[in-house]
């Protein structure tokens, strides 16, 4: 994989790759270090326990994100297939868009050129209610199970592990002064405090959620679970502040930053496209083929024309999942096409091609555009990681000090030891 491809992958804010980079490689190590440093101001023993818990919790949560959610989805798909239905059929197709797409329209249009896929459409149509229930069940299972584990089971496991550590620590303390330092760490008052990762019809929408969408729903539900299991009100405030910030900075802020940087530089296209020599050659020679306009009819007519299968527009529309194709080069009739998204993609290419030809030196402009877009992506990852891994914890620590009067994790301190402000 080239450097450009790597930058492209981490710049896709609709995928999980930016989350992996920010969460596993940047945020978690920084948060663990900051957690230890914040708590050691008052107690090194608490600092050790808090950092240990943070390590176990963060990486266990990441494992559920990256492995658990896809695994549950895969198992659900196997079950749906056992019922004779194909989970690839998009429920949005049941709402017909006259002359554009829909389950009846697609059955008629693709019956001779994609017969196997059409069979899946017919089965879904004939068993619509069952299919909707199965996809709804898949969504619930792939989010509720991870929420249950991360929000309730995982804390209990960490509670038990930390309790054993606490008991061992207490037994080793024979000096009265040291005993007083940890006297508030009684087993029955212990609580795990989670600093989570800095990190029409609902069924058609939910059934087609991306991996990142499911992570956002899972994070939201698991945040609610963690707040609900807080042992005292100070911890509840602490968790609510932190998790609200996490949800905003992990899922919304990167897209806001991306939009701002793209507007600042005037470059929307992915660096993979900008690095394609054939893309540059076709623009320069006036041979770049695009749909005549951004209407739904023209976009789908272009994509569905076999003569256009080898065009760069179709190639990159497939690569960036604007459309999905069967192995024979026919558009998958089971998939719903987001016309607005595909139209924007077409217009971004057209706008860049027109603008580049008006510049004095085409090659220099193209190179600058590629560098600018790559810099935008790296700056986005860097800025969002800084906000999540450093600024949010700092704001959280300040909020905690204001509310509790202490630098210690609220969940590790009994209520009588905390100053309520």
């Amino acid at each position: 994989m080239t450097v450009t491809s790597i930058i492209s992958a981490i710049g896709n804010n609709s995928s999980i790759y930016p989350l992996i980079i920010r969460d596993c490689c940047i945020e978690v190590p920084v948060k663990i270090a900051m957690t230890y440093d914040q708590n050691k101001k008052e107690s090194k023993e608490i600092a050790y326990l808090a950092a240990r818990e943070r390590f176990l919790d963060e990486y266990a949560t990441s494992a559920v994100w990256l492995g658990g959610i896809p695994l549950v989805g895969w198992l659900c798909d196997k079950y749906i297939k056992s019922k004779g239905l194909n989970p690839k059929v998009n429920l949005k197709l049941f709402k017909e868009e006259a002359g554009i797409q829909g389950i009846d329209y697609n059955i008629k249009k693709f019956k001779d050129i994609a017969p196997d896929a059409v069979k899946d459409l017919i089965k879904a149509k004939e068993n619509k209610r069952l299919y909707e229930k199965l996809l709804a069940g898949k969504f619930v299972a792939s989010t509720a199970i991870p929420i249950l584990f991360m929000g309730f089971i995982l804390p209990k496991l960490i509670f038990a592990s930390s309790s054993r550590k606490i008991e061992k620590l207490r037994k080793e303390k024979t000096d009265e002064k040291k005993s007083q330092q940890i006297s508030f760490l009684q087993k029955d008052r212990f609580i795990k405090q989670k600093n989570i990762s800095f990190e029409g019809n609902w069924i058609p929408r939910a059934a087609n959620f991306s991996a990142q969408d499911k992570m956002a729903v899972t994070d939201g539900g698991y945040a609610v679970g963690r707040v609900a299991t807080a042992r005292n009100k100070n911890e509840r405030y602490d968790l609510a502040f932190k998790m609200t910030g996490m949800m905003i900075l992990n899922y919304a802020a990167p897209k806001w930053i991306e939009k701002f940087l793209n507007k600042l530089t005037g470059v929307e296209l992915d660096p993979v496209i900008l690095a394609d020599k054939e893309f540059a050659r076709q623009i320069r020679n006036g041979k770049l083929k695009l749909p005549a306009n951004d209407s739904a009819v023209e976009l789908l007519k272009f994509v569905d024309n076999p003569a256009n299968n080898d065009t760069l527009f179709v190639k990159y529309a497939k690569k960036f999942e604007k459309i999905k194709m069967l192995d024979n080069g026919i558009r998958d009739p089971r998939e719903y096409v987001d016309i607005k998204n595909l139209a924007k993609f077409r217009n971004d290419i057209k706008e860049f091609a027109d603008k580049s030809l008006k510049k004095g030196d085409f090659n220099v402009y193209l190179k600058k555009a590629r560098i600018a877009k790559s810099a935008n992506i790296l700056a986005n990852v860097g800025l969002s990681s800084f906000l999540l891994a450093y600024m949010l914890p700092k704001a959280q620590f300040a909020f905690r000090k204001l509310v509790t009067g202490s630098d210690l994790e609220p969940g590790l301190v009994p209520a009588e030891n905390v100053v309520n402000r």
Side-chain angles (χ1 to χ4, degrees):
M1 182 179 281
T2 65
V3 173
T4 300
S5 298
I6 294 172
I7 293 175
S8 171
I10 66 174
N12 183 359
N13 282 311
S14 295
S15 76
I16 65 172
Y17 296 113
L19 293 176
I20 294 174
I21 297 296
R22 291 198 301 264
D23 188 65
C24 298
C25 302
I26 301 174
E27 296 167 38
V28 173
V30 172
K31 286 187 292 182
I32 291 171
M34 292 183 69
T35 296
Y36 181 85
D37 184 67
Q38 181 70 13
N39 284 272
K40 77 175 183 179
K41 297 175 182 178
E42 296 189 32
S43 170
K44 288 186 177 181
E45 289 82 5
I46 292 294
Y48 164 74
L49 290 172
R52 177 179 177 275
E53 287 182 351
R54 189 61 42 80
F55 174 86
L56 293 173
D57 205 354
E58 294 290 349
Y59 282 113
T61 299
S62 295
V64 174
W65 266 15
L66 304 177
I69 294 175
L71 176 61
V72 173
W74 179 80
L75 291 173
C76 290
D77 284 347
K78 294 283 285 184
Y79 180 74
I80 293 172
K81 289 178 181 178
S82 74
K83 296 295 183 180
L85 297 166
N86 194 323
K88 289 184 178 180
V89 176
N90 195 308
L91 285 177
K92 290 181 180 180
L93 292 173
F94 281 98
K95 183 178 180 180
E96 295 286 334
E97 297 177 19
I100 301 172
Q101 61 184 332
I103 196 160
D104 290 327
Y105 180 86
N106 285 9
I107 288 173
K108 183 178 180 180
K109 179 176 180 178
F110 292 93
K111 63 181 180 179
D112 295 325
I113 56 177
D116 290 337
V118 167
K119 288 179 183 178
D120 292 333
L121 289 174
I122 294 173
K123 288 181 181 178
K125 179 183 177 181
E126 293 174 345
N127 299 275
K128 181 182 177 183
R129 293 186 65 181
L130 172 62
Y131 188 56
E132 286 182 332
K133 290 179 180 179
L134 289 171
L135 288 189
K138 175 184 174 180
F139 172 76
V140 172
S142 60
T143 52
I145 292 175
I147 288 171
L148 178 64
F149 176 78
M150 294 189 295
F152 300 93
I153 297 175
L154 181 59
K156 295 297 183 182
L157 294 175
I158 297 177
F159 292 168
S161 176
S162 293
S163 293
R164 289 193 294 270
K165 291 287 183 182
I166 292 170
E167 285 298 318
K168 182 179 179 181
L169 184 61
R170 291 175 63 191
K171 290 177 181 178
E172 292 175 350
K173 298 295 184 178
T174 57
D175 184 275
E176 182 178 354
K177 180 179 178 180
K178 291 184 179 180
S179 295
Q180 291 174 349
Q181 290 176 342
I182 64 168
S183 62
F184 61 89
L185 288 175
Q186 297 180 41
K187 184 176 180 179
D188 61 344
R189 301 306 299 270
F190 177 80
I191 178 66
K192 167 69 178 73
Q193 185 269 337
K194 165 66 181 167
N195 181 0
I196 79 169
S197 185
F198 297 76
E199 305 208 51
N201 188 326
W202 72 271
I203 297 178
R205 294 195 298 271
N208 296 287
F209 273 6
S210 66
Q212 193 197 54
D213 292 332
K214 290 178 182 176
M215 286 180 180
V217 172
T218 301
D219 262 359
Y222 133 71
V224 170
R226 287 301 174 91
V227 172
T229 57
R231 190 63 62 90
N232 57 58
K233 67 177 182 179
N234 285 328
E235 185 184 40
R236 190 168 291 111
Y237 298 150
D238 194 62
L239 285 168
F241 181 95
K242 184 168 13 189
M243 292 179 179
T244 300
M246 178 278 299
M247 293 295 292
I248 294 172
L249 294 178
N250 228 352
Y251 297 104
K255 294 181 181 180
W256 297 339
I257 295 171
E258 178 186 28
K259 186 176 293 186
F260 170 76
L261 292 175
N262 287 348
K263 187 174 182 180
L264 188 66
T265 60
V267 183
E268 292 279 350
L269 296 182
D270 190 276
V272 167
I273 301 177
L274 298 174
D276 189 334
K277 293 181 180 179
E278 179 62 19
F279 177 68
R281 187 189 69 78
Q282 289 187 16
I283 292 178
R284 193 166 45 240
N285 297 334
K287 294 184 177 181
L288 183 64
K289 291 184 66 176
L290 295 172
N293 56 55
D294 62 3
S295 70
V297 172
E298 285 297 330
L299 288 168
L300 294 185
K301 183 174 76 172
F302 186 93
V303 170
D304 292 339
N305 184 347
N308 294 326
N309 281 358
D310 294 328
T311 62
L312 291 179
F313 178 77
V314 172
K315 172 186 174 181
Y316 285 115
K318 288 190 295 183
K319 178 177 177 60
F320 296 109
E321 299 184 345
K322 313 298 180 183
I323 56 174
K324 291 186 179 180
M325 309 290 276
L326 299 172
D327 292 338
N328 61 1
I330 302 298
R331 177 167 61 87
D332 192 340
R334 299 166 299 191
E335 295 289 343
Y336 178 83
V337 179
D338 185 332
I339 298 298
K340 184 178 180 180
N341 196 13
L342 185 61
K344 182 181 184 305
F345 183 64
R346 179 260 180 201
N347 291 340
D348 287 343
I349 294 176
K350 181 72 166 58
E351 182 180 344
F352 180 84
D354 292 344
K355 188 185 298 184
S356 65
L357 290 174
K358 296 177 182 178
K359 299 298 178 180
D361 191 320
F362 174 83
N363 291 329
V364 171
Y365 176 76
L366 188 64
K367 182 178 180 180
K368 287 182 177 179
R370 185 173 71 251
I371 293 173
K373 183 60 178 181
S374 298
N376 283 359
I377 292 172
L378 296 177
N380 193 345
V381 172
L383 180 56
S384 57
S385 295
F386 174 73
L387 292 173
L388 284 161
Y390 184 79
M391 293 305 296
L392 182 58
K394 284 294 186 182
Q396 174 64 22
F397 297 153
F399 177 81
R400 178 187 302 168
K401 187 77 172 181
L402 177 67
V403 172
T404 71
S406 171
D407 291 314
L408 294 175
E409 304 282 320
L412 295 173
V413 185
E416 59 266 25
N417 287 57
V418 178
V419 177
N420 287 297
R421 297 296 180 86

